[in-house]
Amino acid sequence: MSKVQTPDNSTIQEEKQFLAWVIKKLTDTLKLYSERIKGLSEDMLDARRYLYDQKTGMDRMERYAILQSLFRGNLVGESAVERRKNIEKLVVSPYFGRIDFREKNGEEVFALYIGIHSFYDQEAQANLIHDWRAPVSSMFYDFEPGASFFDTPAGRVEGDITLKRQYRIRNGRMEYMLENPSAVYDEVLQQVLSERSDRKMRNIVATIQRDQNPIVRNEKSRVLIIQGVAGSGKTSIALHRIAFLLYRFKDSIKADNILIISPNKVYADYIANVLPELGEERVPEMGMEELATGLLQGRYKFQTFFEQVTHMMEQNDKAFRERIEFKATAELLSKMDQYLVYVSNEFFQAADLWVGRSLVPEWFIREQFESLHRLPVMKRFGVIAKAIEDNIVFYYRRDVGPEERKYILKEVRAMFRITNLRQLYKDFYAWLGRPEMFKATSRSRLEYADVFPMVYLAIRFEGYQPYEQVKHLLVDEMQDYTPVQYALLARLFPCNKTILGDASQKVSLSGSSTAEMIREVMPDADVVKLRRSYRSTLEITRFAQQILPDSLLIAVERHGAPPQVKKLAGQEEEVLYIAEQIAEFRQSGHQSMGIICKTPKQAEWLREQLEGLQEEFAFVDDQSKAFSKGVVLLSIHLSKGLEFDRVIVPFASAQNYKTEPDRHLLYIACTRAMHQLSVCFSNQCSTFIA
């Protein structure tokens, strides 16, 4: 650590003067980078022109030297552009925290300012600002003034924090400074939580809590499962963990080595700005359905998860629900593994094979098949065919022609009882004694519940190529995935993983995956549980707790208006009430409002009714790809992971919300609200609402 001239622990005026000095340093550096980038661009343009003009009269060595110079210049330019972006962010808000630290047995006190990025001042030969992810910055989150330490690759550094401050700096201006150690986080957190929701999820570097920091900085867990209550910041913490890992292992992991499995495109768009805010590139994301389509190579059409959930909510189809519930169990995964052993042992019936006048005996073919037990079944046929060809060459001393080669492979494949994947999957249920469990939807599409069992069968039966370029996998909404899906992810992605979710927020209406269930598939997983809820006011949290109680949930004590439960004469009156609420919202200081219906069909009906009464509201369905600002109308399934300043939950009648799965849906809808919640119904209110 290097000493720089920083204000003593005295006045806010001195802090403001220091801030002005830092911003001047940043601005000067920004100007230097801009000039450097401009100079590099001009030099590279001149080199390209020269390369073009002299393309015929230039020798090979000169051409190579210029190309190498262009390559190096491009790398330097990209680095300079990236650094300029970071400094541009620092000019707006250079830092948010300060700790004064004295090493053990040392006398000198170092003032360490902490921001989103680091800033090294060449003139002072010191870090004016430390990146929040740096080892030394961990003390800001983990300790109050007094004994403290931080871990580095070289070992632990112990000492004392003599001062701790937190700032709000926006547009280069210090809005406040807090110094009371016990209240730094509480006061800042209250202010942040009380703010209006902007368009998308934000970074939380200034308010990472002491219990969250070890999760963010965890670099040892092979698989980390974050199970947290609604509003506990699971996704923010997971994304900040990704940003930390990209910083900590910058030489071996890049943004395109990360993959996010997200529930839908709207949610992916909602979280998309967090990593760029932290100075990292956007990372790739993929839905489970997209993954399945690729693995099945487009051979089969299937129902989407959204369509499955919609069908279950809108149709009283008992057999459909039974099929889904069975395929969401760990038992199915176990039975599929047993079936694959049975297939390997029983389905191959070797026979003598005549190739022209050359006989290859049954016992030779059978032994070849059995010796290849480590290979997927479909991969064995080609190897066996090659062994038969070699056998003919060796014993009959003749070559095998192209047509004979095709014939051998065809005959070997024919010795296996079933080679069609769909027929094999259907046979699995016959072997299980439950043929009724497999049923195609209209137009011969697979039911969604069949997609991943079939994919699992495909990779075990046909083989697969692991996604080795992915070095960290993030899976959100863990409760909506089945044991078979987790078994697939474990095989396809042999990398470190972060998995997060909340068992209370299931929308599948079948079994919900918990951390304990996932550990049965991934035994090396570590589990952390987040019990503190930050999103909603205490009044909204208590209201939601009446719907679905959780005795371990701890609510942050931030107060607001009590939720409104409004009884109306009918659905038409509910529509008018919602229109009035939208008009009131437009006059308020809030930025976002969610109108959250139980089903897509109800949301579509409400959309048609509101279009004549209100303008400028966004409708989100399963085809939507972006999260919208302002008033948003959507179904509960698509609202998961999102939050709004205000939420209206319409049609909360005893008829609409009556089953145990409905209780979970109502809980999800209500817990999307940050500051204000309105619930309306006609006839009789749902019994889940006190």
Side-chain angles (χ1 to χ4, degrees):
M1 291 178 288
S2 302
K3 184 71 173 176
V4 294
Q5 188 62 41
T6 54
D8 297 327
N9 53 342
S10 50
T11 66
I12 190 170
Q13 188 58 36
E14 287 181 314
E15 285 279 13
K16 287 182 177 179
Q17 290 172 358
F18 178 74
L19 173 63
W21 179 74
V22 170
I23 290 177
K24 176 69 165 54
K25 287 278 187 183
L26 288 165
T27 305
D28 290 346
T29 305
L30 191 60
K31 184 178 178 182
L32 286 174
Y33 270 104
S34 295
E35 290 173 353
R36 184 183 301 175
I37 292 166
K38 183 180 178 183
L40 276 169
S41 298
E42 290 173 351
D43 291 345
M44 291 177 70
L45 185 59
D46 289 343
R48 287 193 182 97
R49 283 173 179 162
Y50 179 78
L51 195 64
Y52 180 79
D53 293 341
Q54 304 296 324
K55 58 185 176 182
T56 56
M58 189 184 302
D59 64 36
R60 185 172 60 86
M61 293 304 296
E62 185 183 5
R63 182 180 180 82
Y64 176 77
I66 293 174
L67 289 172
Q68 285 295 101
S69 175
L70 284 169
F71 177 73
R72 288 192 297 269
N74 189 55
L75 290 178
V76 172
E78 287 179 354
S79 176
V81 168
E82 188 63 32
R83 189 63 188 141
R84 184 176 65 178
K85 286 180 185 177
N86 291 345
I87 295 174
E88 284 172 344
K89 292 176 182 176
L90 289 177
V91 168
V92 176
S93 182
Y95 47 81
F96 55 82
R98 168 185 171 179
I99 52 173
D100 288 6
F101 180 70
R102 180 176 57 237
E103 287 191 42
K104 189 176 182 180
N105 301 323
E107 295 183 359
E108 195 170 15
V109 175
F110 299 93
L112 308 170
Y113 285 82
I114 299 160
I116 288 180
H117 307 293
S118 64
F119 176 66
Y120 185 81
D121 180 34
Q122 294 289 347
E123 185 179 345
Q125 294 290 291
N127 266 321
L128 296 187
I129 304 168
H130 294 264
D131 193 296
W132 67 278
R133 297 166 290 187
V136 70
S137 302
S138 65
M139 293 190 294
F140 177 77
Y141 301 104
D142 290 338
F143 296 103
E144 301 299 345
S148 59
F149 63 84
F150 64 98
D151 292 318
T152 73
R156 175 164 291 184
V157 179
E158 297 181 339
D160 292 285
I161 294 176
T162 61
L163 176 73
K164 182 175 181 179
R165 285 178 177 165
Q166 192 156 4
Y167 314 90
R168 163 63 70 80
I169 301 170
R170 286 200 285 199
N171 298 320
R173 187 174 68 86
M174 187 179 293
E175 295 183 352
Y176 61 73
M177 176 184 84
L178 293 174
E179 190 172 326
N180 181 353
S182 62
V184 167
Y185 280 119
D186 286 344
E187 289 189 39
V188 173
L189 186 62
Q190 286 287 352
Q191 293 204 32
V192 171
L193 294 177
S194 298
E195 290 176 351
R196 299 169 299 181
S197 170
D198 56 14
R199 184 172 178 264
K200 296 182 180 180
M201 183 177 287
R202 299 167 292 184
N203 77 68
I204 58 167
V205 289
T207 56
I208 292 172
Q209 302 298 288
R210 189 172 301 175
D211 59 336
Q212 298 172 337
N213 194 44
I215 303 172
V216 170
R217 294 174 184 268
N218 182 314
E219 58 185 79
K220 295 180 180 179
S221 294
R222 177 83 177 146
V223 179
L224 183 64
I225 301 173
I226 306 172
Q227 184 164 296
V229 298
S232 58
K234 299 179 292 295
T235 305
S236 285
I237 292 167
L239 291 171
H240 282 68
R241 181 175 186 233
I242 295 299
F244 171 78
L245 293 173
L246 287 170
Y247 173 88
R248 173 70 178 83
F249 302 102
K250 59 173 70 76
D251 294 331
S252 57
I253 302 179
K254 307 299 179 187
D256 57 5
N257 297 134
I258 310 291
L259 179 65
I260 298 176
I261 301 290
S262 61
N264 54 66
K265 295 296 182 184
V266 173
Y267 179 75
D269 179 63
Y270 180 70
I271 68 173
N273 70 316
V274 175
L275 287 170
E277 270 191 17
L278 297 171
E280 302 296 346
E281 297 176 36
R282 290 184 64 161
V283 305
E285 65 84 23
M286 181 188 292
M288 287 295 283
E289 291 157 22
E290 187 180 348
L291 179 67
T293 299
L295 292 167
L296 291 173
Q297 301 174 336
R299 288 177 287 175
Y300 305 100
K301 294 182 178 180
F302 54 82
Q303 182 186 50
T304 66
F305 181 58
F306 182 85
E307 289 171 331
Q308 173 185 280
V309 171
T310 301
H311 182 86
M312 281 202 296
M313 287 192 291
E314 295 180 350
Q315 305 292 329
N316 184 23
D317 191 336
K318 185 180 178 182
F320 182 70
R321 179 166 299 192
E322 286 177 355
R323 290 194 296 274
I324 291 169
E325 288 176 347
F326 176 69
K327 292 161 191 175
T329 63
E331 179 189 359
L332 180 80
L333 178 60
S334 174
K335 293 296 184 184
M336 291 193 80
D337 286 337
Q338 293 174 32
Y339 175 70
L340 284 162
V341 173
Y342 165 76
V343 164
S344 181
N345 291 338
E346 303 295 334
F347 274 31
F348 190 73
Q349 300 295 325
D352 291 341
L353 179 62
W354 285 94
V355 182
R357 295 183 178 182
S358 305
L359 172 64
V360 181
E362 175 271 340
W363 63 264
F364 175 82
I365 298 173
R366 175 169 42 80
E367 284 186 356
Q368 289 296 315
F369 182 85
E370 291 172 353
S371 70
L372 298 170
H373 63 276
R374 294 186 181 277
L375 278 181
V377 168
M378 294 292 283
K379 296 282 186 184
R380 300 184 205 179
F381 300 148
V383 180
I384 295 169
K386 182 63 170 62
I388 291 171
E389 183 181 340
D390 293 341
N391 179 279
I392 293 170
V393 172
F394 182 80
Y395 286 103
Y396 294 96
R397 303 198 181 280
R398 73 176 185 84
D399 291 332
V400 176
E403 291 303 318
E404 288 181 321
R405 195 172 291 123
K406 291 179 184 178
Y407 170 76
I408 292 169
L409 181 58
K410 178 184 176 183
E411 290 300 307
V412 170
R413 287 176 62 92
M415 293 176 191
F416 203 82
R417 190 193 305 175
I418 300 174
T419 55
N420 178 276
L421 180 63
R422 188 185 182 107
Q423 289 178 353
L424 191 72
Y425 183 63
K426 185 177 181 180
D427 182 75
F428 162 66
Y429 290 105
W431 171 83
L432 204 59
R434 303 198 65 179
E436 76 281 0
M437 284 290 110
F438 179 67
K439 181 181 178 182
T441 66
S442 59
R443 304 188 300 278
S444 297
R445 293 193 307 163
L446 296 171
E447 291 183 346
Y448 181 78
D450 287 314
V451 175
F452 293 96
M454 185 178 281
V455 172
Y456 184 75
L457 200 63
I459 69 167
R460 295 290 308 278
F461 185 64
E462 300 175 343
Y464 65 99
Q465 184 66 40
Y467 288 76
E468 293 179 349
Q469 78 279 11
V470 176
K471 297 182 180 179
H472 198 100
L473 182 72
L474 190 153
V475 182
D476 208 344
E477 302 297 341
M478 70 180 194
Q479 65 278 0
D480 290 331
Y481 302 125
T482 66
V484 168
Q485 287 172 301
Y486 282 111
L488 264 173
L489 294 176
R491 287 176 177 270
L492 293 170
F493 300 95
C495 59
N496 290 358
K497 302 174 184 67
T498 301
I499 301 172
L500 54 144
D502 175 16
S504 297
Q505 297 185 60
K506 61 178 183 177
V507 296
S508 62
L509 309 191
S510 61
S512 177
S513 290
T514 62
E516 291 69 28
M517 188 286 294
I518 298 169
R519 287 189 72 180
E520 292 181 14
V521 181
M522 303 177 184
D524 56 346
D526 296 320
V527 179
V528 292
K529 297 189 178 182
L530 299 173
R531 297 296 185 186
R532 190 176 297 275
S533 179
Y534 299 96
R535 177 185 297 140
S536 307
T537 62
L538 188 62
E539 289 75 13
I540 294 172
T541 301
R542 285 175 174 168
F543 182 86
Q545 284 291 288
Q546 292 175 352
I547 298 170
L548 191 64
D550 183 349
S551 60
L552 298 176
L553 182 144
I554 304 167
V556 170
E557 194 161 341
R558 176 173 67 85
H559 290 281
Q564 297 179 359
V565 180
K566 186 79 171 177
K567 181 177 182 179
L568 296 151
Q571 287 191 341
E572 291 76 10
E573 283 71 19
E574 286 191 66
V575 173
L576 293 173
Y577 171 74
I578 293 167
E580 291 170 2
Q581 290 290 302
I582 294 174
E584 181 187 315
F585 160 77
R586 298 198 191 285
Q587 301 303 313
S588 73
H590 288 145
Q591 298 292 317
S592 62
M593 170 185 270
I595 305 169
I596 306 177
C597 297
K598 177 184 171 183
T599 68
K601 188 175 181 180
Q602 290 173 2
E604 180 62 45
W605 181 86
L606 184 56
R607 173 195 188 182
E608 294 172 357
Q609 306 307 308
L610 285 174
E611 281 179 340
L613 301 171
Q614 283 289 341
E615 297 179 355
E616 297 181 9
F617 68 89
F619 179 72
V620 173
D621 61 14
D622 62 322
Q623 300 302 310
S624 300
K625 290 182 171 56
F627 180 77
S628 301
K629 190 176 180 180
V631 180
V632 181
L633 172 60
L634 71 172
S635 64
I636 291 173
H637 171 51
L638 294 173
S639 75
K640 294 181 64 178
L642 309 181
E643 59 184 29
F644 303 91
D645 291 324
R646 294 187 178 197
V647 165
I648 301 175
V649 182
F651 318 131
S653 66
Q655 180 62 30
N656 199 28
Y657 290 98
K658 58 185 177 181
T659 67
E660 193 59 28
D662 291 343
R663 182 197 295 272
H664 287 265
L665 295 173
L666 186 59
Y667 174 80
I668 293 168
C670 292
T671 54
R672 302 307 95 199
M674 295 174 62
H675 308 302
Q676 192 167 318
L677 173 65
S678 299
V679 178
C680 60
F681 68 96
S682 53
N683 298 321
Q684 185 179 352
C685 185
S686 170
T687 56
F688 301 136
I689 299 174

PDB file of all heavy atoms in Angstrom, residues 665-686:
ATOM      1  N   LEU A 665     -48.123 -18.922  -6.127  1.00  0.00           N
ATOM      2  CA  LEU A 665     -48.216 -17.923  -7.188  1.00  0.00           C
ATOM      3  C   LEU A 665     -48.583 -16.553  -6.625  1.00  0.00           C
ATOM      4  O   LEU A 665     -48.003 -15.528  -7.018  1.00  0.00           O
ATOM      5  CB  LEU A 665     -49.248 -18.358  -8.228  1.00  0.00           C
ATOM      6  CG  LEU A 665     -48.913 -19.625  -9.025  1.00  0.00           C
ATOM      7  CD1 LEU A 665     -50.095 -20.042  -9.892  1.00  0.00           C
ATOM      8  CD2 LEU A 665     -47.681 -19.403  -9.897  1.00  0.00           C
ATOM      9  N   LEU A 666     -49.540 -16.527  -5.712  1.00  0.00           N
ATOM     10  CA  LEU A 666     -49.953 -15.262  -5.095  1.00  0.00           C
ATOM     11  C   LEU A 666     -48.805 -14.647  -4.295  1.00  0.00           C
ATOM     12  O   LEU A 666     -48.591 -13.433  -4.311  1.00  0.00           O
ATOM     13  CB  LEU A 666     -51.173 -15.502  -4.197  1.00  0.00           C
ATOM     14  CG  LEU A 666     -51.834 -14.261  -3.579  1.00  0.00           C
ATOM     15  CD1 LEU A 666     -52.297 -13.298  -4.666  1.00  0.00           C
ATOM     16  CD2 LEU A 666     -53.017 -14.684  -2.700  1.00  0.00           C
ATOM     17  N   TYR A 667     -48.038 -15.495  -3.640  1.00  0.00           N
ATOM     18  CA  TYR A 667     -46.876 -15.031  -2.873  1.00  0.00           C
ATOM     19  C   TYR A 667     -45.844 -14.391  -3.800  1.00  0.00           C
ATOM     20  O   TYR A 667     -45.309 -13.317  -3.501  1.00  0.00           O
ATOM     21  CB  TYR A 667     -46.260 -16.223  -2.129  1.00  0.00           C
ATOM     22  CG  TYR A 667     -44.969 -15.918  -1.402  1.00  0.00           C
ATOM     23  CD1 TYR A 667     -44.991 -15.289  -0.166  1.00  0.00           C
ATOM     24  CD2 TYR A 667     -43.734 -16.259  -1.958  1.00  0.00           C
ATOM     25  CE1 TYR A 667     -43.805 -15.008   0.512  1.00  0.00           C
ATOM     26  CE2 TYR A 667     -42.545 -15.986  -1.291  1.00  0.00           C
ATOM     27  CZ  TYR A 667     -42.587 -15.368  -0.058  1.00  0.00           C
ATOM     28  OH  TYR A 667     -41.414 -15.085   0.606  1.00  0.00           O
ATOM     29  N   ILE A 668     -45.580 -15.025  -4.939  1.00  0.00           N
ATOM     30  CA  ILE A 668     -44.622 -14.471  -5.900  1.00  0.00           C
ATOM     31  C   ILE A 668     -45.082 -13.099  -6.370  1.00  0.00           C
ATOM     32  O   ILE A 668     -44.298 -12.142  -6.414  1.00  0.00           O
ATOM     33  CB  ILE A 668     -44.454 -15.415  -7.103  1.00  0.00           C
ATOM     34  CG1 ILE A 668     -43.776 -16.721  -6.672  1.00  0.00           C
ATOM     35  CG2 ILE A 668     -43.633 -14.751  -8.212  1.00  0.00           C
ATOM     36  CD1 ILE A 668     -43.828 -17.812  -7.727  1.00  0.00           C
ATOM     37  N   ALA A 669     -46.367 -12.981  -6.716  1.00  0.00           N
ATOM     38  CA  ALA A 669     -46.889 -11.713  -7.231  1.00  0.00           C
ATOM     39  C   ALA A 669     -46.730 -10.587  -6.203  1.00  0.00           C
ATOM     40  O   ALA A 669     -46.266  -9.494  -6.532  1.00  0.00           O
ATOM     41  CB  ALA A 669     -48.356 -11.877  -7.617  1.00  0.00           C
ATOM     42  N   CYS A 670     -47.086 -10.864  -4.969  1.00  0.00           N
ATOM     43  CA  CYS A 670     -47.041  -9.818  -3.930  1.00  0.00           C
ATOM     44  C   CYS A 670     -45.608  -9.416  -3.583  1.00  0.00           C
ATOM     45  O   CYS A 670     -45.349  -8.252  -3.262  1.00  0.00           O
ATOM     46  CB  CYS A 670     -47.774 -10.286  -2.679  1.00  0.00           C
ATOM     47  SG  CYS A 670     -49.564 -10.456  -2.910  1.00  0.00           S
ATOM     48  N   THR A 671     -44.685 -10.348  -3.651  1.00  0.00           N
ATOM     49  CA  THR A 671     -43.301 -10.043  -3.267  1.00  0.00           C
ATOM     50  C   THR A 671     -42.516  -9.353  -4.380  1.00  0.00           C
ATOM     51  O   THR A 671     -41.322  -9.091  -4.218  1.00  0.00           O
ATOM     52  CB  THR A 671     -42.549 -11.321  -2.831  1.00  0.00           C
ATOM     53  OG1 THR A 671     -42.647 -12.311  -3.857  1.00  0.00           O
ATOM     54  CG2 THR A 671     -43.124 -11.861  -1.539  1.00  0.00           C
ATOM     55  N   ARG A 672     -43.154  -9.016  -5.492  1.00  0.00           N
ATOM     56  CA  ARG A 672     -42.490  -8.199  -6.516  1.00  0.00           C
ATOM     57  C   ARG A 672     -42.525  -6.718  -6.135  1.00  0.00           C
ATOM     58  O   ARG A 672     -41.814  -5.915  -6.728  1.00  0.00           O
ATOM     59  CB  ARG A 672     -43.175  -8.342  -7.888  1.00  0.00           C
ATOM     60  CG  ARG A 672     -43.270  -9.737  -8.484  1.00  0.00           C
ATOM     61  CD  ARG A 672     -41.966 -10.458  -8.560  1.00  0.00           C
ATOM     62  NE  ARG A 672     -41.773 -11.307  -7.395  1.00  0.00           N
ATOM     63  CZ  ARG A 672     -40.612 -11.781  -6.989  1.00  0.00           C
ATOM     64  NH1 ARG A 672     -39.515 -11.450  -7.629  1.00  0.00           N
ATOM     65  NH2 ARG A 672     -40.528 -12.555  -5.922  1.00  0.00           N
ATOM     66  N   ALA A 673     -43.360  -6.338  -5.159  1.00  0.00           N
ATOM     67  CA  ALA A 673     -43.565  -4.929  -4.815  1.00  0.00           C
ATOM     68  C   ALA A 673     -42.484  -4.426  -3.867  1.00  0.00           C
ATOM     69  O   ALA A 673     -42.185  -5.067  -2.859  1.00  0.00           O
ATOM     70  CB  ALA A 673     -44.939  -4.744  -4.175  1.00  0.00           C
ATOM     71  N   MET A 674     -41.915  -3.278  -4.174  1.00  0.00           N
ATOM     72  CA  MET A 674     -40.915  -2.656  -3.309  1.00  0.00           C
ATOM     73  C   MET A 674     -41.551  -1.695  -2.299  1.00  0.00           C
ATOM     74  O   MET A 674     -41.246  -1.729  -1.116  1.00  0.00           O
ATOM     75  CB  MET A 674     -39.894  -1.889  -4.152  1.00  0.00           C
ATOM     76  CG  MET A 674     -39.050  -2.764  -5.056  1.00  0.00           C
ATOM     77  SD  MET A 674     -37.988  -1.793  -6.154  1.00  0.00           S
ATOM     78  CE  MET A 674     -36.949  -0.939  -4.964  1.00  0.00           C
ATOM     79  N   HIS A 675     -42.445  -0.803  -2.790  1.00  0.00           N
ATOM     80  CA  HIS A 675     -42.938   0.283  -1.945  1.00  0.00           C
ATOM     81  C   HIS A 675     -44.445   0.282  -1.732  1.00  0.00           C
ATOM     82  O   HIS A 675     -44.915   0.740  -0.693  1.00  0.00           O
ATOM     83  CB  HIS A 675     -42.534   1.639  -2.545  1.00  0.00           C
ATOM     84  CG  HIS A 675     -41.072   1.747  -2.862  1.00  0.00           C
ATOM     85  ND1 HIS A 675     -40.096   1.568  -1.914  1.00  0.00           N
ATOM     86  CD2 HIS A 675     -40.422   2.007  -4.021  1.00  0.00           C
ATOM     87  CE1 HIS A 675     -38.901   1.724  -2.476  1.00  0.00           C
ATOM     88  NE2 HIS A 675     -39.078   1.967  -3.753  1.00  0.00           N
ATOM     89  N   GLN A 676     -45.189  -0.207  -2.716  1.00  0.00           N
ATOM     90  CA  GLN A 676     -46.641  -0.125  -2.597  1.00  0.00           C
ATOM     91  C   GLN A 676     -47.287  -1.335  -3.262  1.00  0.00           C
ATOM     92  O   GLN A 676     -46.900  -1.730  -4.364  1.00  0.00           O
ATOM     93  CB  GLN A 676     -47.145   1.170  -3.253  1.00  0.00           C
ATOM     94  CG  GLN A 676     -48.600   1.492  -2.931  1.00  0.00           C
ATOM     95  CD  GLN A 676     -48.953   2.915  -3.338  1.00  0.00           C
ATOM     96  OE1 GLN A 676     -48.167   3.839  -3.116  1.00  0.00           O
ATOM     97  NE2 GLN A 676     -50.110   3.092  -3.935  1.00  0.00           N
ATOM     98  N   LEU A 677     -48.274  -1.917  -2.592  1.00  0.00           N
ATOM     99  CA  LEU A 677     -48.963  -3.111  -3.092  1.00  0.00           C
ATOM    100  C   LEU A 677     -50.463  -2.919  -3.002  1.00  0.00           C
ATOM    101  O   LEU A 677     -50.989  -2.500  -1.958  1.00  0.00           O
ATOM    102  CB  LEU A 677     -48.552  -4.345  -2.271  1.00  0.00           C
ATOM    103  CG  LEU A 677     -49.319  -5.648  -2.561  1.00  0.00           C
ATOM    104  CD1 LEU A 677     -49.059  -6.138  -3.983  1.00  0.00           C
ATOM    105  CD2 LEU A 677     -48.931  -6.733  -1.543  1.00  0.00           C
ATOM    106  N   SER A 678     -51.161  -3.219  -4.107  1.00  0.00           N
ATOM    107  CA  SER A 678     -52.620  -3.181  -4.136  1.00  0.00           C
ATOM    108  C   SER A 678     -53.130  -4.520  -4.652  1.00  0.00           C
ATOM    109  O   SER A 678     -52.639  -5.031  -5.668  1.00  0.00           O
ATOM    110  CB  SER A 678     -53.125  -2.060  -5.054  1.00  0.00           C
ATOM    111  OG  SER A 678     -52.679  -0.801  -4.606  1.00  0.00           O
ATOM    112  N   VAL A 679     -54.105  -5.073  -3.938  1.00  0.00           N
ATOM    113  CA  VAL A 679     -54.721  -6.338  -4.335  1.00  0.00           C
ATOM    114  C   VAL A 679     -56.212  -6.089  -4.483  1.00  0.00           C
ATOM    115  O   VAL A 679     -56.836  -5.506  -3.584  1.00  0.00           O
ATOM    116  CB  VAL A 679     -54.472  -7.437  -3.273  1.00  0.00           C
ATOM    117  CG1 VAL A 679     -55.151  -8.733  -3.683  1.00  0.00           C
ATOM    118  CG2 VAL A 679     -52.980  -7.645  -3.072  1.00  0.00           C
ATOM    119  N   CYS A 680     -56.778  -6.496  -5.617  1.00  0.00           N
ATOM    120  CA  CYS A 680     -58.215  -6.284  -5.791  1.00  0.00           C
ATOM    121  C   CYS A 680     -58.906  -7.583  -6.185  1.00  0.00           C
ATOM    122  O   CYS A 680     -58.285  -8.494  -6.740  1.00  0.00           O
ATOM    123  CB  CYS A 680     -58.489  -5.180  -6.810  1.00  0.00           C
ATOM    124  SG  CYS A 680     -57.852  -5.482  -8.466  1.00  0.00           S
ATOM    125  N   PHE A 681     -60.182  -7.655  -5.887  1.00  0.00           N
ATOM    126  CA  PHE A 681     -60.961  -8.868  -6.170  1.00  0.00           C
ATOM    127  C   PHE A 681     -62.425  -8.509  -6.266  1.00  0.00           C
ATOM    128  O   PHE A 681     -62.857  -7.417  -5.838  1.00  0.00           O
ATOM    129  CB  PHE A 681     -60.747  -9.906  -5.056  1.00  0.00           C
ATOM    130  CG  PHE A 681     -61.341  -9.507  -3.740  1.00  0.00           C
ATOM    131  CD1 PHE A 681     -62.604  -9.954  -3.345  1.00  0.00           C
ATOM    132  CD2 PHE A 681     -60.657  -8.652  -2.879  1.00  0.00           C
ATOM    133  CE1 PHE A 681     -63.153  -9.571  -2.129  1.00  0.00           C
ATOM    134  CE2 PHE A 681     -61.199  -8.269  -1.668  1.00  0.00           C
ATOM    135  CZ  PHE A 681     -62.450  -8.730  -1.286  1.00  0.00           C
ATOM    136  N   SER A 682     -63.203  -9.417  -6.822  1.00  0.00           N
ATOM    137  CA  SER A 682     -64.659  -9.282  -6.816  1.00  0.00           C
ATOM    138  C   SER A 682     -65.245 -10.539  -6.190  1.00  0.00           C
ATOM    139  O   SER A 682     -64.589 -11.579  -6.126  1.00  0.00           O
ATOM    140  CB  SER A 682     -65.192  -9.065  -8.241  1.00  0.00           C
ATOM    141  OG  SER A 682     -64.718 -10.079  -9.106  1.00  0.00           O
ATOM    142  N   ASN A 683     -66.451 -10.460  -5.717  1.00  0.00           N
ATOM    143  CA  ASN A 683     -67.125 -11.556  -5.003  1.00  0.00           C
ATOM    144  C   ASN A 683     -66.400 -11.830  -3.680  1.00  0.00           C
ATOM    145  O   ASN A 683     -66.424 -10.995  -2.793  1.00  0.00           O
ATOM    146  CB  ASN A 683     -67.208 -12.812  -5.876  1.00  0.00           C
ATOM    147  CG  ASN A 683     -68.031 -12.564  -7.135  1.00  0.00           C
ATOM    148  OD1 ASN A 683     -69.043 -11.863  -7.075  1.00  0.00           O
ATOM    149  ND2 ASN A 683     -67.595 -13.100  -8.261  1.00  0.00           N
ATOM    150  N   GLN A 684     -65.681 -12.945  -3.569  1.00  0.00           N
ATOM    151  CA  GLN A 684     -65.059 -13.318  -2.290  1.00  0.00           C
ATOM    152  C   GLN A 684     -63.542 -13.326  -2.422  1.00  0.00           C
ATOM    153  O   GLN A 684     -62.987 -13.851  -3.378  1.00  0.00           O
ATOM    154  CB  GLN A 684     -65.544 -14.702  -1.856  1.00  0.00           C
ATOM    155  CG  GLN A 684     -65.042 -15.127  -0.483  1.00  0.00           C
ATOM    156  CD  GLN A 684     -65.572 -16.494  -0.082  1.00  0.00           C
ATOM    157  OE1 GLN A 684     -66.431 -17.050  -0.758  1.00  0.00           O
ATOM    158  NE2 GLN A 684     -65.065 -17.035   1.006  1.00  0.00           N
ATOM    159  N   CYS A 685     -62.894 -12.751  -1.424  1.00  0.00           N
ATOM    160  CA  CYS A 685     -61.437 -12.675  -1.445  1.00  0.00           C
ATOM    161  C   CYS A 685     -60.816 -14.057  -1.219  1.00  0.00           C
ATOM    162  O   CYS A 685     -61.391 -14.908  -0.519  1.00  0.00           O
ATOM    163  CB  CYS A 685     -60.957 -11.721  -0.356  1.00  0.00           C
ATOM    164  SG  CYS A 685     -59.184 -11.425  -0.367  1.00  0.00           S
ATOM    165  N   SER A 686     -59.656 -14.284  -1.795  1.00  0.00           N
ATOM    166  CA  SER A 686     -58.933 -15.541  -1.572  1.00  0.00           C
ATOM    167  C   SER A 686     -58.699 -15.764  -0.081  1.00  0.00           C
ATOM    168  O   SER A 686     -58.365 -14.827   0.658  1.00  0.00           O
ATOM    169  CB  SER A 686     -57.586 -15.506  -2.302  1.00  0.00           C
ATOM    170  OG  SER A 686     -56.792 -16.600  -1.911  1.00  0.00           O
TER     171      SER A 686
END
